[in-house]
Every structure is written in C-alpha cells, then in structure tokens.
C-alpha cells in the first residue's frame, strides 16, 4: 500500500515539475510591451512629481519601471509569506499528537482546546481587522509574530490552563495571518501603481510557494520528531524561531499602510479600543452589497469545509483501507503537490489563457464594481467564474466520497484519495481567486476589517460542526459540505457574475 502512495506522489511531482517548466517556457515567449507603451497610473504620478508611499504620503520619485516595482513587492511579500506559513505548517501536524499522545490529555479536553482556538479566532477576527486598518497592517503583522511565537512557547508546558491560553493566542494569530498580510499586499500593490494582473501573479505565486513550504515543512518536522526520539515539542521550537525571523524581516523590509482614517495614533486607541463604529460601518457595507454577502458566504463555506477536511481525511481513508497503517506523510505531501498544481492551473488561466487588453488599471478603488474599468470588469468576471467553478468542483469531490461508501476496498480507498487530491487542487485555485476578488471588491478603507469580519461566520461554522461530533458523523459532514459548496457555487453564478457582466456591457454599449 505504501508503494501506491509513493508512486502517486512521484507522479504528481513529475507533473508539477513539467508544468513549471512549461510555464517558464511560455513566460519566456511572452512578447514584451511596446517601446512606446506608458503605464497611465505611473505616468499620472510622474506628472505631479511623486508616487504614493505605502502610508499614503508622497515622496519624490523617478520613472521606476513597473516590472521593477512588481519584482520588489513580490520578493518582499513572498519571503515573509514563506517564513510565516512555514512556521504554521511546522506545528500543524503535531498539535493533536502533542495534546493526546505526549501530554496524555483525554479526548474530551483535546476537543475543548481545539474549540477554544476556533472560538478565539471568531471572537477576535473583527477586532483584528479593524485594528489593522486603523493602526497599521505592518504593525499588526509584527504583533502576529510575537503572539504566535508566544503560543509556541506556551505549548511546551503540559498544564491545561496554559494550553488554553495558548489556544486563545493561536486563534488571534490565525485571524491576523489570513487577513492583515493579504491586506498589506493589496494596499502596497495599489500604492505602487501595479495592475490587477500583477496582483494576480503575486497571489498565484504565493499559493505555489505555500505548497512548496508545506511539503518541506512536513518532511522537516518529521525529521525533528525523529531526532527528538518521538517527542512532539521540537517542531514548535523551530516554528517559534521562524516567527522571530519573520519579525526581523518585516521590521526591516516592509513599509506601513493603513485603511481609511488610519495612522492617527494613540488618540483613536484610547477613544474606542473596540472600534464599534468602524465595525458597524463595515457591516453596513456588507449588508448593502449582495456581491460582498456572496463573497463572505463563499469564504465561510469553502474554508469551513477545508478545516473540517483536516479533521476527517485520515479516518475516512482508514475506514476504506485494507492496510491498518497508512503512510500519512506521503499522502499529506501528495495533497500539497496537488495544491501546487491548482495554483499552476490558476496562473496559466489568468496569465496565458485569459489575456485582457494591455491597459493596466488600478484595482481595489471601491467596494462597488461600478467603479472598475472595463479591463477590471473582465478580470473580475473571470475570477467570479473561477470561484463558482472551484466551489462546484469541491462539491463534486465530497459527493463522490459519499457515493463510494464506507466498505473496505482498495478501489474505494484509491478513489477517495484522488477525490481528496482534486479538492486540494481546488484549494490551490481558491486562495488566489478569493484574494483577487477581495482585492478588487473591497475598498482600502475597510479591507482588513471586512476580510477579518468574513472569518466570524467561518469559525462559528467550524465550532458548531466540531461540537456536533465530526468524527462520529463523517458521512453527514461530507454531505453537508457538498450541499453548501453547491449553494455557494450557484449564488456566485446567479448573483456575482451577472452583476459584473452587466457592468461591463453597460460600459461598452
């Protein structure tokens, strides 16, 4: 049985390497822009003798090529992204084993710890977002490094109250990781006058890097556990060291940026630490815009299904396997390579198959599609279609697992494995697609606030699922995920896509 998964991992890795080489070939054959081509966004800034810094101020400049700006921002973001995601992946596979096997906590207390983490993320998500917009995305990302490193340190102590505190800090850190970092990137790319195509390139590369990092982190953490004679603490120590490194890199290379009304300092902090008014304004924006409501629904449904998948994929494969011991390391690595394949497919579709006109536009100027240019509409329409397709394909994978049944058979095990690989490929496409939609539809003033606000129902969805017994009702969980993903796909198809296409047609009429 191990030979089967080894072969699948090698096969997926070879396909991934071939596609990477093919993408490089296509990129080398891509014609350069005409010599007399001028980027209107950069030219607009040059005419007035300045460019926008990331904090909204102005500074003297020379005619910096857009390609250099893209390369610089990509290098700054991907370096930090690789470090923080590496820190997250290092500890992820061993949290349960640390609680249950090394510290010998009963299953009930382990469940309490996990639920505490998700509840913390749900409670603090809106506050994290609004603090990032108000006091600075870079500052909040630095706070993430401190909080998550503290979490790693607290996890080294087998004392239940300390571990509860670690889960609270971990939940806050997760909310920051999946909102403030992306908000910093989108705002920085907008301030650097990069186009939506450039932002799409960075997000596609980020997902690809995440796949490489996850695969390497899984192998390295496994080695750390073996070197430590089976102890599960060492990956958390290594994760803390990476987070310290991330703090140093962010401090030295990132510039600060804010949302609307941000950057005014401690007066705001003392006046309204919970930013109730700002949260109310953000919620009114979402409630009045059907497109943003669907965007939040998609994030809740897809990422909630993804978190539940983490809890159930091992027992689902085990119940179909004739061999009692599965090579989980090889299977996990195969999933990560599948995610990389999804990222490569996204990059091919957006950079080579779909070619908008060469006139770049500034993205994320407003939360309404009415303010986007025609190129922005075409790119937005493509990403809305991809979002609907990703949710539909994910629904099919879960429905297929349910239809295969529970019986032990080699064929059933293999079919479920490939269905899960397809779902991971959908994950690889989902993150850049959803990131681009958020970057195009959510205004800078409330970007981190709304991105974090969307995580509240996500964490409620996961907590409710965990409390109702995921492990004992796996088939019901798969069925529910398939249904809600299908609903999300349909709402995107019937709400978002027609509005975006209608905006394009009215502008070109």
């Amino acid at each position: 049985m191990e030979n089967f998964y080894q072969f699948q991992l090698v096969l997926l890795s070879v396909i991934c390497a071939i596609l990477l080489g093919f993408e490089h070939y296509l990129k080398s054959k891509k014609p350069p822009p005409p010599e007399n081509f001028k980027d209107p966004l950069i030219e607009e800034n040059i005419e007035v003798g300045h460019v926008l810094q990331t904090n909204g101020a102005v500074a003297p400049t020379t005619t910096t090529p857009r390609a250099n700006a893209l390369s610089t921002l990509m290098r700054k973001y991907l370096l930090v992204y690789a470090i923080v995601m590496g820190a997250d992946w290092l500890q992820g596979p061993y949290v349960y084993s640390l609680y249950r096997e090394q510290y010998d906590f009963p299953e009930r207390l382990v469940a309490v710890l996990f639920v505490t983490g998700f509840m913390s993320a749900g409670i603090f998500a809106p506050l994290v977002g609004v603090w990032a917009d108000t006091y600075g995305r870079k500052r909040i990302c630095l706070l993430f490094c401190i909080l998550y490193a503290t979490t790693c340190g607290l996890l080294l102590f087998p004392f239940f109250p300390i571990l509860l505190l670690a889960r609270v800090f971990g939940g806050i850190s997760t909310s920051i990781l999946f909102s403030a970092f992306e908000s910093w990137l989108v705002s920085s790319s907008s301030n650097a006058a990069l186009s939506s195509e450039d932002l799409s390139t960075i997000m596609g590369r980020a997902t690809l890097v995440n796949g490489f990092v996850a695969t390497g982190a899984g192998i390295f953490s496994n080695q750390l556990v073996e070197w430590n004679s089976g102890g599960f603490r060492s990956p958390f120590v290594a994760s803390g060291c990476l987070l310290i490194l991330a703090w140093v890199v962010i401090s030295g290379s990132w510039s600060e940026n804010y949302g609307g009304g941000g950057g005014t300092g401690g007066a705001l902090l003392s006046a309204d630490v919970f930013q109730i008014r700002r949260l109310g304004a953000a919620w009114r924006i979402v409630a009045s815009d059907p497109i943003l409501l669907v965007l939040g629904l998609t994030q809740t449904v897809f990422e909630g299904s993804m978190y539940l998948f983490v809890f159930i994929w091992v027992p689902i494969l085990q119940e179909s396997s004739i061999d009692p011991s599965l090579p989980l390391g090889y299977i996990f690595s195969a999933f990560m390579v599948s995610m990389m394949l999804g990222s490569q497919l996204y990059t091919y579709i957006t950079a080579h198959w779909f070619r908008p006109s060469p006139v770049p536009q500034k993205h994320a100027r407003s939360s309404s599609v009415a303010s986007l240019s025609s190129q922005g509409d075409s790119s937005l329409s493509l990403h809305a279609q991809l979002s609907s397709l990703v949710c539909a394909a994910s629904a099919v994978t879960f429905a297929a697992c349910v239809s295969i049944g529970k019986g032990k058979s080699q064929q059933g095990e293999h079919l479920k494995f490939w269905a899960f690989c397809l779902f991971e490929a959908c994950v690889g496409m989902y993150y850049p697609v959803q990131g681009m939609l958020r970057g195009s539809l959510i205004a800078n003033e409330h970007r981190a606030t709304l991105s974090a606000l969307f995580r509240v129902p996500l964490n409620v969805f996961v907590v409710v699922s965990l409390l109702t017994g995921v492990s004992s009702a796996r088939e019901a969980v798969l069925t529910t995920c398939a249904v809600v993903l299908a609903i999300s796909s349909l709402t995107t198809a019937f709400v978002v896509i027609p509005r975006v296409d209608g905006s394009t047609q009215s502008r070109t009429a």
Side-chain angles (χ1 to χ4, degrees):
M1 186 57 62
E2 182 172 327
N3 290 335
F4 168 79
Y5 289 110
Q6 286 178 334
F7 176 76
Q8 305 308 315
L9 175 58
V10 171
L11 177 62
L12 289 169
S13 300
V14 169
I15 295 173
C16 187
I18 292 174
L19 291 180
L20 280 173
F22 182 64
E23 181 188 339
H24 181 73
Y25 170 78
L26 290 178
K27 188 176 181 180
S28 66
K29 295 296 182 180
K30 185 177 178 180
E35 292 184 2
N36 60 349
F37 174 75
K38 294 182 178 181
D39 190 321
L41 296 173
I42 297 178
E43 290 298 314
E44 176 186 353
N45 288 329
I46 293 173
E47 287 177 4
V48 296
H50 69 271
V51 292
L52 291 175
Q53 293 179 336
T54 53
N55 62 0
V58 298
T61 187
T62 58
T63 57
T64 305
R66 197 177 106 213
N68 290 344
L70 172 61
S71 176
T72 299
L73 180 59
M74 184 181 295
R75 183 174 62 253
K76 287 181 178 180
Y77 179 72
L78 292 186
L79 176 59
V80 171
Y81 187 77
I83 295 173
V84 296
M85 292 309 298
D88 191 48
W89 284 117
L90 273 175
Q91 56 181 290
Y94 295 103
V95 175
Y96 177 85
S97 298
L98 182 73
Y99 294 153
R100 188 72 181 92
E101 298 178 29
Q102 184 158 347
Y103 293 163
D104 199 28
F105 284 115
E107 192 74 31
R108 180 178 57 83
L109 290 183
V110 173
V112 169
L113 288 170
F114 277 103
V115 169
T116 299
F118 284 110
M119 289 182 64
S120 170
I123 292 171
F124 285 96
L127 296 178
V128 162
V130 76
W131 288 338
D133 284 336
T134 304
Y135 307 118
R137 283 78 179 255
K138 174 185 175 181
R139 188 171 292 136
I140 294 298
C141 290
L142 290 172
L143 176 63
F144 160 83
C145 297
I146 296 172
L147 277 178
Y148 215 14
T150 303
T151 300
C152 294
L154 293 176
L155 287 172
L156 302 180
F157 299 94
F159 185 49
F160 189 75
I162 293 180
L163 295 176
L164 274 178
L165 180 61
R167 294 307 299 172
V168 172
F169 286 172
I172 300 172
S173 302
T174 301
S175 296
I176 298 175
L177 178 60
F178 292 105
S179 60
F181 284 84
E182 180 186 287
S183 297
W184 181 90
L185 169 64
V186 176
S187 184
S188 296
S189 65
S190 181
N191 290 333
L194 299 180
S195 69
S196 289
E197 184 180 355
D198 295 329
L199 180 61
S200 175
T201 299
I202 297 176
M203 288 187 169
R205 286 288 182 269
T207 305
L208 185 63
V209 166
N210 188 29
F212 279 115
V213 168
T215 304
I219 296 172
F220 181 61
S221 61
N222 186 73
Q223 289 298 316
L224 287 175
V225 170
E226 290 184 2
W227 293 337
N228 198 34
S229 302
F232 298 114
R233 287 190 176 102
S234 50
F236 298 92
V237 176
S239 178
C241 293
L242 282 181
L243 291 164
I244 294 172
L245 175 62
W247 189 93
V248 173
V249 175
I250 293 173
S251 298
S253 63
W254 282 21
S255 300
E256 187 63 274
N257 61 50
Y258 302 90
T264 56
L268 284 175
L269 181 61
S270 60
D272 185 10
V273 66
F274 295 110
Q275 297 292 307
I276 301 301
R277 292 182 181 178
R278 189 179 184 90
L279 282 172
W283 169 246
R284 286 190 293 272
I285 292 173
V286 175
S288 63
D289 192 336
I291 293 180
L292 292 184
L293 284 173
V294 173
L295 200 65
L297 170 67
T298 300
Q299 180 169 331
T300 298
V301 167
F302 191 94
E303 296 186 26
S305 300
M306 184 180 65
Y307 283 129
L308 294 177
F309 172 76
V310 171
F311 287 97
I312 63 177
W313 72 265
V314 173
I316 285 177
L317 288 179
Q318 286 176 337
E319 71 182 9
S320 297
S321 177
I322 299 174
D323 189 343
S325 61
L326 289 172
L328 300 181
Y330 291 127
I331 298 174
F332 174 78
S333 297
F335 289 166
M336 294 302 100
V337 176
S338 299
M339 185 175 69
M340 293 161 59
L341 289 173
S343 169
Q344 289 176 274
L345 179 60
Y346 167 81
T347 300
Y348 174 78
I349 291 174
T350 56
H352 302 292
W353 183 70
F354 173 77
R355 299 297 304 162
S357 58
V359 181
Q361 90 287 349
K362 200 167 184 177
H363 49 270
R365 297 294 293 266
S366 169
S367 61
S368 171
V369 295
S371 65
L372 299 173
S373 69
S374 60
Q375 180 198 352
D377 284 337
S378 60
S379 176
L380 189 62
S381 178
L382 172 68
H383 283 81
Q385 293 170 32
L386 289 176
S387 177
S388 179
L389 178 63
V390 164
C391 288
S394 300
V396 170
T397 63
F398 288 133
C401 288
V402 174
S403 66
I404 292 170
K406 296 182 178 180
K408 289 186 179 292
S409 71
Q410 192 175 74
Q411 182 182 12
E413 177 190 352
H414 293 173
L415 289 174
K416 289 180 180 180
F417 167 76
W418 280 108
F420 290 160
C421 285
L422 177 58
F423 175 69
E424 288 292 344
C426 291
V427 173
M429 288 193 68
Y430 165 81
Y431 276 112
V433 166
Q434 190 77 354
M436 272 297 298
L437 289 174
R438 283 194 296 260
S440 299
L441 294 171
I442 300 177
N444 181 60
E445 288 79 4
H446 297 281
R447 180 171 295 123
T449 303
L450 290 179
S451 296
L453 197 62
F454 289 158
R455 296 192 65 82
V456 175
L458 160 65
N459 287 283
V460 171
F461 176 72
V462 175
V463 167
V464 170
S465 300
L466 290 176
L467 292 177
T468 53
V470 168
S471 59
S472 60
R474 291 186 289 271
E475 193 166 312
V477 170
L478 287 174
T479 302
T480 302
C481 288
V483 170
V484 294
L485 283 166
I487 293 173
S488 177
S489 175
L490 291 174
T491 53
T492 301
F494 288 104
V495 175
V496 178
I497 296 175
R499 282 170 167 78
V500 175
D501 290 342
S503 176
T504 304
Q505 293 171 3
S506 65
R507 188 171 289 104
T508 57

